[in-house]
Amino acid sequence: MRKKVKNNVSWIGYIDWELQEFHGADYSVFNGSSQNAYLIEEEKTVLMDTIWKPHGEFFLNNLKQEIDLNDIDYIVIQHGEVDHSGALPLLMQEIPDTPIYCTENAVKSLKGQYHEDWNFNVVKTGDTLDVGNGKSLVFVEMRMLHWPDSMATYLTGDNILFSNDAFGQHFAVEELFNDLADPCLLEKEAMKYYANILNPFSALVSRKLNEIAALNLDIDIIAPSHGVIWRDNPVQIIEKYAAWADAYQEDQITIVYETMWEGTGTLANAIAGQINDLSPETRVKVFNIAKYDKNEIMTEVFKSKAIAVGSPTVLNDVMSSVSGWMTFLKSLKFKNKKAAAFGCYGWSGESVKILQEDLAKAGFDVVDASLRVNWNPTRDDLVQAREVAEALLA
Ligand code: FEO
């Protein structure tokens, strides 16, 4: 089964309603996902990407029902990650000599993963491939967005930008197009994808968006490799990426903590209450890291102008759930956000200092105010939470 995208371009991917996690367990999936591959059937037949290995047989059988595999003139692999190249070995068993167009780095990643020396044809930004009927593919390298091998491909004539991971979402949409998807979920999933996967590369995103703008391409459709195809005002997602890549923040403060015996949890809620008292229009959210999804919290951090992170002191350190989350936080390279630390302790009391140092290493502007409380908080300690709130709001 295929779905028509435009003229002789069809979607031939896999909508995965059951997917619950991605990148191992490093990315939670709550609204399904898809791996989008595309067929271009002009005078030349082109397969744009494949899908993930677990669905490889489904993909191959589906493809065989739609076309004779020997009719495929070119395969374009825009990115070697296994969710897009996983079905390639099965396909290449059937059509082993078919040319594969990809970046130099993709040759490395494909050879490294599959140990095959297929008929690779290396392309660079600006290279073109004639597909007949007056149309051609124009390749645009997207190095480190988000792998060294990533690229996008523009189909002239139909004005379709196949963007691979960029502009995608882990979001199952049977109707395929953005104008038919649930708009709230679409925005949420697109932002979650950006915050958790692309945010570390924001400087490159800005530069690449400028480079694409300078090409003056008419873009009628953006066809990513996950989630919806943007056909209704596709520029909207480019504009969102431009904003998200520019040290994005909303009037929101997010408080993240773990607690052993409720003391640090009490501090978290006290800080939240003081922020709300001082600035009622500021959105405040509070998450226990041990009880809430880490990727959803990161999306809230992405939206925030400031965060507060709390942990009690345990064995001269922070709780393991907090240290694991802090490692993830560091890797995402957030910018232009304030941070404060808080926590209760019984005797040694190192957690606040450790958190302050780790938040600074993660790129946050750590405020001087903190809340370090011996045993359970008193009323005075809760009043001190106001100083933390004031510093985060300043
Ligand atoms: Fe969707 Fe980077 O793979």
Side-chain angles (χ1 to χ4, degrees):
M1 191 198 65
R2 67 170 89 185
K3 299 186 186 210
K4 180 172 175 172
V5 176
K6 181 179 180 181
N7 297 332
N8 297 323
V9 178
S10 335
W11 174 95
I12 185 129
Y14 184 82
I15 297 180
D16 194 340
W17 289 96
E18 295 186 2
L19 193 70
Q20 293 182 305
E21 52 191 30
F22 189 78
H23 282 161
D26 237 11
Y27 191 107
S28 58
V29 176
F30 297 130
N31 293 292
S33 187
S34 66
Q35 298 125 43
N36 301 336
Y38 300 94
L39 260 183
I40 302 165
E41 294 165 285
E42 298 294 347
E43 288 171 63
K44 299 291 185 185
T45 298
V46 182
L47 175 66
M48 181 74 59
D49 293 322
T50 70
I51 67 169
W52 194 17
K53 187 178 174 183
H55 315 303
E57 279 195 23
F58 163 87
F59 177 70
L60 209 58
N61 290 336
N62 191 28
L63 203 54
K64 282 178 183 171
Q65 282 174 15
E66 295 296 331
I67 57 168
D68 181 341
L69 294 185
N70 291 304
D71 288 344
I72 298 176
D73 295 291
Y74 312 125
I75 298 168
V76 175
I77 295 292
Q78 301 190 98
H79 174 29
E81 196 164 11
V82 71
D83 50 326
H84 308 297
S85 69
L88 192 59
L90 268 184
L91 178 64
M92 296 311 282
Q93 283 173 16
E94 308 245 2
I95 47 171
D97 300 324
T98 308
I100 296 173
Y101 290 78
C102 63
T103 63
E104 193 173 359
N105 281 322
V107 175
K108 290 182 199 163
S109 67
L110 293 170
K111 280 187 177 178
Q113 291 176 98
Y114 304 117
H115 313 120
E116 296 281 359
D117 199 12
W118 291 314
N119 180 6
F120 293 113
N121 292 259
V122 170
V123 295
K124 302 185 296 298
T125 294
D127 286 353
T128 60
L129 181 63
D130 192 343
V131 296
N133 296 327
K135 299 177 185 178
S136 57
L137 297 173
V138 183
F139 301 107
V140 182
E141 287 170 273
M142 303 276 277
R143 198 171 294 189
M144 293 318 295
L145 297 175
H146 67 122
W147 271 22
D149 64 10
S150 302
M151 73 170 179
T153 308
Y154 179 73
L155 176 61
T156 66
D158 289 328
N159 302 342
I160 299 175
L161 179 67
F162 298 95
S163 59
N164 196 254
D165 281 334
F167 311 127
Q169 332 85 48
H170 284 302
F171 185 26
V173 179
E174 200 69 47
E175 304 80 11
L176 210 59
F177 295 102
N178 67 312
D179 48 298
L180 302 174
D182 178 325
C184 295
L185 280 181
L186 175 54
E187 163 116 23
K188 179 182 184 315
E189 293 299 346
M191 181 183 276
K192 178 177 175 180
Y193 192 91
Y194 188 92
N196 284 273
I197 293 181
L198 290 168
N199 191 72
F201 310 109
S202 283
L204 295 175
V205 171
S206 297
R207 280 210 292 278
K208 189 53 67 176
L209 292 179
N210 290 336
E211 192 185 313
I212 291 173
L215 294 173
N216 278 324
L217 303 174
D218 286 328
I219 297 176
D220 293 342
I221 288 177
I222 295 176
S225 55
H226 299 289
V228 301
I229 295 171
W230 303 87
R231 71 175 176 189
D232 176 42
N233 184 22
V235 171
Q236 66 180 289
I237 190 62
I238 296 178
E239 290 170 348
K240 284 213 164 72
Y241 265 47
W244 293 344
D246 188 19
Y248 183 74
Q249 57 173 241
E250 299 176 12
D251 187 5
Q252 175 170 326
I253 296 178
T254 299
I255 299 169
V256 183
Y257 74 98
E258 162 68 306
T259 191
M260 286 182 82
W261 299 111
E262 301 307 328
T264 302
T266 303
L267 298 181
N269 286 296
I271 296 168
Q274 294 291 358
I275 293 168
N276 180 248
D277 190 49
L278 288 162
S279 179
E281 68 279 6
T282 299
R283 193 186 310 124
V284 186
K285 297 195 179 182
V286 181
F287 300 102
N288 182 326
I289 181 60
K291 295 183 179 174
Y292 202 77
D293 180 80
K294 65 179 183 293
N295 303 104
E296 297 286 314
I297 298 176
M298 284 307 175
T299 312
E300 299 301 333
V301 170
F302 176 72
K303 287 194 281 185
S304 297
K305 60 184 181 183
I307 66 171
V309 182
S311 171
T313 297
V314 185
L315 301 173
N316 310 106
D317 213 322
V318 299
M319 293 183 76
S320 60
S321 57
V322 177
S323 57
W325 188 82
M326 287 298 297
T327 299
F328 187 24
L329 184 75
K330 252 182 272 179
S331 74
L332 292 179
K333 297 184 170 59
F334 291 111
K335 291 199 167 45
N336 193 33
K337 299 184 193 296
K338 290 183 182 177
F342 61 96
C344 294
Y345 68 99
W347 44 106
S348 60
E350 294 93 337
S351 69
V352 168
K353 187 164 179 288
I354 290 168
L355 286 173
Q356 287 175 323
E357 289 171 358
D358 283 351
L359 285 164
K361 282 184 205 157
F364 286 77
D365 176 13
V366 180
V367 300
D368 290 334
S370 63
L371 205 46
R372 180 172 175 272
V373 172
N374 194 209
W375 298 109
N376 270 336
T378 63
R379 283 184 68 84
D380 285 347
D381 293 323
L382 299 185
V383 171
Q384 272 189 30
R386 196 169 187 86
E387 289 175 21
V388 174
E390 283 169 346
L392 293 175
L393 285 164

